[in-house]
């Protein structure tokens, strides 16, 4: 799904960038031990800031950021000066990459935006190498079912009727052949409930 105006502004501000590096990325970095990443993919790269953080902390030789929103890809491309990073408009549930292509695939809070999220996870499995890692930080329906989350539910355009619980997400990963190496749940502000994990193919 493409972002509405409010979500677009929320994703393109310094506060979001600060949280992404100082909190979200730190958690993911500590949860995974993958080394020597040749090719990495970021699902839902937005303005490209997360892609740059992946390059900074995980040092892949090549990284591709994809997003369904053409506006975001234009912004990311405009501010990119690193030849090892590229951006493409693409649907995460229909990836235009060959099988077993990536050493690591990253999700910074994007899959909950996707109505057919199960197709996206199947695509992740298809394009991930056998010893590669799927590295995830994402929200669940729980975040939009309590407190201020109810207000955000009104203001944002998420596919709530299709959104998963953490249990549904992890169980589906297991069903399609992933092994979850590390898993943690967080509720830092008592209303933003998210989970982080890294998984490999069984």
């Amino acid at each position: 799904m493409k972002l509405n105006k409010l979500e677009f502004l929320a994703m393109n501000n310094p506060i979001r960038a600060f949280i992404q590096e100082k909190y979200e990325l730190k958690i993911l970095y500590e949860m995974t031990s993958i080394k020597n990443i040749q090719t990495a993919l970021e699902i839902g790269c937005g303005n490209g800031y997360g892609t740059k953080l992946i390059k900074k902390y995980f040092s892949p030789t090549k990284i591709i950021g994809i997003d369904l929103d053409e506006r975001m890809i234009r912004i990311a491309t405009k501010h990119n000066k690193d030849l090892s990073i590229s951006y493409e408009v693409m649907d995460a549930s229909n990836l235009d990459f060959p099988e077993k292509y990536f050493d690591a695939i990253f999700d910074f809070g994007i899959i909950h935006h996707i109505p057919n999220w199960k197709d996206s996870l199947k695509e992740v499995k298809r394009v991930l190498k056998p010893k590669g890692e799927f590295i995830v930080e994402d929200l669940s329906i729980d975040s939009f079912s309590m407190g201020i989350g109810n207000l955000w539910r009104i203001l944002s355009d998420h596919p709530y009727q299709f959104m998963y619980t953490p249990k549904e997400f992890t169980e589906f990963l297991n069903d399609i052949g992933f092994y979850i190496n590390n898993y943690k749940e967080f509720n830092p502000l008592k209303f933003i409930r998210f989970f982080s994990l890294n998984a490999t193919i069984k």
Side-chain angles (χ1 to χ4, degrees), residues 10 14 19 23 27 53-54 66 69 73 76 84-85 98 107 122 125 132 137 141 146 156 161 166 186 194 200-201:
I19 293 173
Y23 191 73
I27 291 171
L53 291 179
I54 294 168
I66 65 164
D69 194 326
I73 293 299
S84 70
I85 300 175
D107 162 35
K122 290 177 182 177
K125 182 175 183 287
E137 180 274 314
I141 190 62
M146 58 187 293
S156 60
Q161 68 273 33
F186 303 88
F194 68 95
T200 51
I201 299 172

Side-chain angles (χ1 to χ4, degrees), residues 10-135:
M11 293 298 103
N12 289 280
N13 70 83
I15 296 176
R16 167 58 180 156
F18 179 84
I19 293 173
Q20 195 169 11
E21 179 168 14
K22 301 303 181 181
Y23 191 73
E24 299 174 25
L25 195 285
K26 182 179 178 181
I27 291 171
L28 295 181
Y29 185 78
E30 291 175 350
M31 288 182 69
T32 183
S33 59
I34 189 169
K35 306 293 183 183
N36 301 319
I37 300 174
Q38 295 299 309
T39 306
L41 172 68
E42 184 189 8
I43 295 172
C45 62
N47 61 16
Y49 187 71
T51 319
K52 293 175 182 177
L53 291 179
I54 294 168
K55 179 63 185 294
K56 177 180 177 181
Y57 287 94
F58 291 89
S59 304
T61 302
K62 176 183 178 182
I63 180 167
I64 302 171
I66 65 164
D67 204 292
L68 191 60
D69 194 326
E70 297 92 341
R71 298 170 300 171
M72 290 295 199
I73 293 299
R74 285 197 296 269
I75 293 171
T77 302
K78 180 179 179 180
H79 295 99
N80 179 40
K81 297 180 180 180
D82 189 332
L83 296 179
S84 70
I85 300 175
S86 61
Y87 299 99
E88 298 182 37
V89 176
M90 195 178 298
D91 182 351
S93 63
N94 186 25
L95 297 175
D96 189 19
F97 300 111
E99 295 182 4
K100 303 176 182 179
Y101 188 74
F102 293 101
D103 298 287
I105 299 177
F106 293 82
D107 162 35
F108 281 115
I110 293 300
I111 293 179
H112 73 277
H113 287 272
I114 304 173
N116 52 334
W117 58 274
K118 290 184 177 180
D119 291 338
S120 295
L121 296 184
K122 290 177 182 177
E123 281 291 270
V124 166
K125 182 175 183 287
R126 182 182 67 81
V127 302
L128 188 64
K129 292 179 181 179
K131 294 185 179 180
E133 286 195 14
F134 182 32
I135 302 165

